[in-house]
Amino acid sequence: MDPLALTLIELGAVVFCLGLLARLAGRIGMSPIPLYLLGGLAFGAGGIVKLEGMHEFAHLSGEIGVILLLLMLGLEYTASELFTGLRRSWQAGVLDLVLNFLPGAGLALLLGWGGVGAMVMGGVTYISSSGIAAKVITDLGRLGNRETPVVLSILVFEDLAMAVYLPILTATLAGVSFLGGLTTVGIALAVVSMVLMVALRHGHHVSKAVHSENSEVFLLNVLGAALLVAGAASAMQVSAAVGAFMLGIAISGATAHNATRILEPLRDLFAAIFFVAFGLNTDPSSIPPVLGWALVLAVATTATKMATGIWAAKRAGIARPGRFRAGAALVARGEFSIVIAGLAVASGVVPHELAALATAYVLLMAVLGPLAARYVEALARPFIRRPAVAPQL
């Protein structure tokens, strides 16, 4: 068969199936990410049917998916909101980092994957899924709850941590020398700091540069700017995803709102292909050997995220039910964890077992997170009952 025809047939079949999976996920009230990953596993190396024609397209589309995911995450915040969130939540953010980075890093060292593997798995277990958390909070009608600002502040801290972590990870995976690594990290931090300052003081100019009343022109401007900035960031050895995130922060006000509305369908399409592409590159037969470790990590990091949310909400003076809801909202892992694992596996520096462990772990956590958020109050009822009031004499 003609290679172009084969690619089009495979791509059409995959996109159509993604639509069916997204519909199924919506009906059962869960994130579609686990189903996308399972779809990729089914049609990748070692799967039921191996897709041969769409690998090149899937790789490039996956990169664009990561860029759009982080661009739109940046659009959710202004630079001033990020700084405010950092000031309010830095203590909870540091606790979150320590409690949730260590389980993944410790397991990687135990499995003999070395310092690089520890750095990758620590990132995989640390970062919550902002997308799943936001969807769950919205779906359960908790946007107005007192604990929701606490949850969002911790998510903002994690996003800022990723802006520092991803450049360091990129330099480490590139295998540069210690001095070269320091230089790369220094450049990355300088670029991030400069963009944050530009966003804080001159964000309205950036918004004006991409804004247009014509939706077609606006889409081309924003998408073109995102790809340009991502490419320039990558050329300076800063993660392309971080470059897109920084651009999103720089765009504010009505421009950011319109950009989110216009880009959302594109993000959903390319992000879905990204998750499928990650699954395509993972051999399903490599998952059963690491499934036990994935379960251990899932239990451990569910407990550490719950502890983070409960502690942060308690410091904010929130009652016990709200503390448990805050912890449960942070449990899910998703897009960021797969991005980190994908960067590592693509570099060829870490073993392929790491991809299998990350996939199994994210599958578990992307399912467990929404369930925990929905049923946490019922499960924690013995811990949140008010003590009985002693009868007055």
Side-chain angles (χ1 to χ4, degrees):
M1 186 183 291
D2 176 57
L4 177 60
L6 179 63
T7 300
L8 291 174
I9 290 170
E10 289 184 355
L11 180 61
V14 166
V15 172
F16 183 78
C17 288
L18 289 176
L20 296 178
L21 292 174
R23 180 183 296 179
L24 174 62
R27 285 188 175 176
I28 60 180
M30 65 175 284
S31 165
I33 291 174
L35 299 183
Y36 294 157
L37 288 170
L38 288 173
L41 289 171
F43 296 103
I48 302 168
V49 179
K50 187 174 181 181
L51 300 180
E52 299 284 356
M54 62 168 287
H55 274 277
E56 230 175 277
F57 176 83
H59 175 71
L60 179 59
S61 298
E63 292 293 324
I64 295 173
V66 175
I67 289 168
L68 289 175
L69 276 169
L70 274 87
L71 170 67
M72 293 191 63
L73 191 61
L75 289 170
E76 295 295 319
Y77 308 107
T78 65
S80 59
E81 285 173 342
L82 280 175
F83 284 119
T84 301
L86 182 60
R87 281 197 301 269
R88 289 179 179 172
S89 65
W90 72 269
Q91 290 174 312
V94 170
L95 178 69
D96 180 33
L97 174 60
V98 172
L99 289 182
N100 293 284
F101 192 93
L102 288 179
L107 180 60
L109 292 174
L110 181 65
L111 294 175
W113 294 345
V116 176
M119 185 175 181
V120 172
M121 280 307 302
V124 168
T125 58
Y126 161 55
I127 186 76
S128 299
S129 171
S130 300
I132 295 176
K135 181 170 175 51
V136 166
I137 290 170
T138 303
D139 289 349
L140 296 179
R142 296 177 181 171
L143 282 172
N145 286 18
R146 287 192 62 209
E147 76 274 2
T148 298
V150 174
V151 173
L152 295 178
S153 293
I154 293 172
L155 293 176
V156 168
F157 186 94
E158 291 183 354
D159 296 339
L160 281 175
M162 283 294 106
V164 177
Y165 168 83
L166 285 176
I168 296 173
L169 178 66
T170 305
T172 304
L173 293 173
V176 296
S177 65
F178 180 73
L179 183 60
L182 286 179
T183 304
T184 301
V185 171
I187 292 171
L189 293 178
V191 170
V192 169
S193 301
M194 181 181 70
V195 172
L196 282 174
M197 290 306 297
V198 169
L200 190 60
R201 296 185 178 181
H202 307 289
H204 60 286
H205 293 304
V206 178
S207 300
K208 189 181 294 185
V210 299
H211 183 73
S212 174
E213 296 299 329
N214 185 301
S215 58
E216 179 183 354
V217 174
F218 191 22
L219 172 62
L220 294 173
N221 283 347
V222 175
L223 183 59
L227 296 176
L228 276 171
V229 170
S234 184
M236 290 188 288
Q237 296 184 319
V238 179
S239 167
V242 171
F245 179 66
M246 292 292 109
L247 175 65
I249 291 170
I251 298 172
S252 58
T255 305
H257 176 75
N258 292 336
T260 300
R261 177 178 53 82
I262 289 175
L263 287 173
E264 193 169 18
L266 270 183
R267 178 205 59 187
D268 293 342
L269 170 63
F270 283 105
I273 293 175
F274 164 72
F275 293 118
V276 170
F278 187 83
L280 288 173
N281 294 321
T282 304
D283 188 343
S285 64
S286 65
I287 290 181
V290 298
L291 188 57
W293 289 119
L295 285 167
V296 170
L297 274 184
V299 172
T301 56
T302 295
T304 51
K305 281 292 183 183
M306 287 294 299
T308 300
I310 290 169
W311 184 83
K314 184 178 180 181
R315 288 189 77 245
I318 293 167
R320 286 186 182 180
R323 297 173 199 173
F324 282 93
R325 289 194 298 266
L330 297 168
V331 166
R333 271 52 159 210
E335 60 278 2
F336 254 130
S337 297
I338 294 297
V339 168
I340 293 166
L343 288 172
V345 173
S347 72
V349 176
V350 299
H352 285 286
E353 290 84 359
L354 189 148
L357 178 58
T359 301
Y361 174 72
V362 171
L363 280 169
L364 290 171
M365 300 306 285
V367 173
L368 180 60
L371 291 176
R374 187 178 295 272
Y375 298 111
V376 66
E377 288 185 79
L379 294 173
R381 193 166 290 132
F383 303 99
I384 59 180
R385 278 194 193 130
R386 294 181 180 179
V389 178
Q392 292 186 356
L393 299 177

